[in-house]
Amino acid sequence: MLVRVAAGLVATASLLGSAAPQAPAGHENYSEPVPGTKVQIDMIAIPGGTFTMGSPDAEAGRSADEGPAHQVRIAPLWIGRTEITWDQYDAFAFSVPGTSPGGSPPPPGGADAVTRPSPPYGDESFGFGKGNQPAINVQYHAAMEYCRWLSLRTGKTYRLATEAEWEYAARAGTSTAYSFGNDASKLDQFGWHAGNSSGRPHPVARKGPNPWGLFDMHGNVAEWVLDHYDPTFYAQVPARAPGPVLLPTHRRYSYVVRGGSWDDPAARLRSAARRGSSEEWNRRDPQSPQSIWWHTDATFVGFRIARAVEEQENLKGLRSAITTSSR
């Protein structure tokens, strides 16, 4: 796996050159209407730049997998203003291929050929409600397939953010534990966590945004990013590496979630905090093989989407390789 990562870094370095990436003309916020549905997704333009990924040794609540802190270069991209909601996810998960609201014909692009999630075991919202609530319990494969479906629907390439892109966007130019500073007592203004959530996720964008206009980067639901989880990966990343990513494979576990959730203490909502997925998140699935679409015990996990202005070489054409045969 390390070989694939190293190859990707070289390719990306060649793509970006030595100058700091600049935002191209037309790199602005926009709303993406999803053809054949009643939903749209707001995207925020994120400028390229260099930042320090990870946390310093002295940061309160820090874990060993957040270091060593290292400089990383990020190319311009867009990231979803909010986590993907049930309204936005249901358009993919529960629509019937070949149909659309209002009886309009399906859009071109072959999106209906994307496999849809298998039926959930019960109420997929776990009683928390749907609509503008964040989609939860969605497995990594399902989030990746949602991005592929959306890409085919819209003609634009959407994907999960890499772990580095996610942290860069969450920090929004800051270097403190949270995007609002180091004082965790202010967290109630910006995120849902175990201390204020009343034991449940909440509709998106009810707390304050970060300095770049992104909501719920701290808390509500932890968010899938593109990378496999390796607690030692940061030690393998060269200084000022452009676009580092630990590429996904056919393996089901472990992938990274970021941002912490309604079920986590404040320390897990820090900008640098990392967490790897676990088979325990699907421990009550009685099927053999187990589902690759729905978790049974991860009501704290959701996702948001991203789109590169110019895709880095090692991410072009990337899609989930997970199947029901994956281990």
Side-chain angles (χ1 to χ4, degrees):
M1 184 181 301
L2 179 59
V3 172
R4 295 184 64 196
V5 173
L9 292 176
V10 171
T12 309
S14 177
L15 173 68
L16 295 177
S18 57
Q22 300 296 318
H27 185 216
E28 300 172 343
N29 300 347
Y30 69 96
S31 294
E32 180 69 82
V34 182
T37 77
K38 297 180 179 179
V39 302
Q40 66 178 30
I41 302 173
D42 296 333
M43 302 297 293
I44 301 296
I46 305 296
T50 299
F51 82 111
T52 300
M53 185 174 186
S55 60
D57 293 345
E59 184 167 297
R62 180 183 190 269
S63 297
D65 65 354
E66 299 168 23
H70 54 289
Q71 284 209 314
V72 167
R73 290 165 51 201
I74 300 296
L77 73 157
W78 291 272
I79 283 190
R81 176 174 171 269
T82 70
E83 295 151 344
I84 292 295
T85 67
W86 277 120
D87 276 346
Q88 294 163 340
Y89 190 72
D90 285 354
F92 159 66
F94 299 112
S95 65
V96 177
T99 64
S100 58
S104 58
D112 286 340
V114 177
T115 304
R116 309 300 173 89
S118 56
Y121 312 105
D123 176 8
E124 62 275 9
S125 75
F126 280 70
F128 296 137
K130 302 194 80 176
N132 210 34
Q133 289 273 352
I136 57 173
N137 245 14
V138 173
Q139 292 206 19
Y140 177 85
H141 172 74
M144 291 282 282
E145 284 294 276
Y146 178 88
C147 294
R148 190 162 73 92
W149 169 83
L150 182 63
S151 299
L152 291 169
R153 283 259 167 172
T154 62
K156 305 182 181 79
T157 301
Y158 289 96
R159 58 170 171 77
L160 300 177
T162 67
E163 186 173 15
E165 289 170 341
W166 191 97
E167 183 171 328
Y168 176 70
R171 290 189 176 281
T174 67
S175 58
T176 46
Y178 306 91
S179 63
F180 53 84
N182 288 319
D183 186 358
S185 69
K186 297 179 180 177
L187 186 57
D188 285 355
Q189 302 175 42
F190 297 93
W192 298 106
H193 56 93
N196 69 355
S197 69
S198 300
R200 56 170 298 153
H202 291 263
V204 299
R206 294 292 178 86
K207 295 291 188 178
N210 77 1
W212 286 352
L214 301 172
F215 290 84
D216 300 311
M217 296 298 278
H218 300 302
N220 209 18
V221 290
E223 301 172 9
W224 290 116
V225 295
L226 195 61
D227 302 48
H228 259 304
Y229 174 71
D230 178 348
T232 68
F233 180 56
Y234 288 5
Q236 307 168 38
V237 179
R240 294 180 62 81
V245 54
L246 190 53
L247 291 171
T249 68
H250 65 283
R251 291 189 287 114
R252 292 189 181 214
Y253 301 97
S254 175
Y255 293 92
V256 179
V257 294
R258 283 303 210 103
S261 78
W262 59 267
D263 197 35
D264 288 321
R268 280 196 167 180
L269 275 60
R270 291 173 300 107
S271 297
R274 313 174 67 203
R275 184 173 184 178
S277 61
S278 163
E279 294 182 41
E280 282 296 301
W281 296 4
N282 214 25
R283 62 185 174 83
R284 288 187 294 176
D285 184 348
Q287 302 176 104
S288 181
Q290 292 186 319
S291 173
I292 59 175
W293 296 99
W294 304 99
H295 279 303
T296 59
D297 298 88
T299 56
F300 50 87
V301 173
F303 69 104
R304 81 175 66 214
I305 61 171
R307 176 187 167 211
V309 172
E310 183 176 353
E311 189 61 282
Q312 59 189 64
E313 288 295 328
N314 60 344
L315 299 184
K316 288 181 177 177
L318 188 68
R319 56 181 289 187
S320 173
I322 296 172
T323 70
T324 53
S325 299
S326 297
R327 294 291 182 268

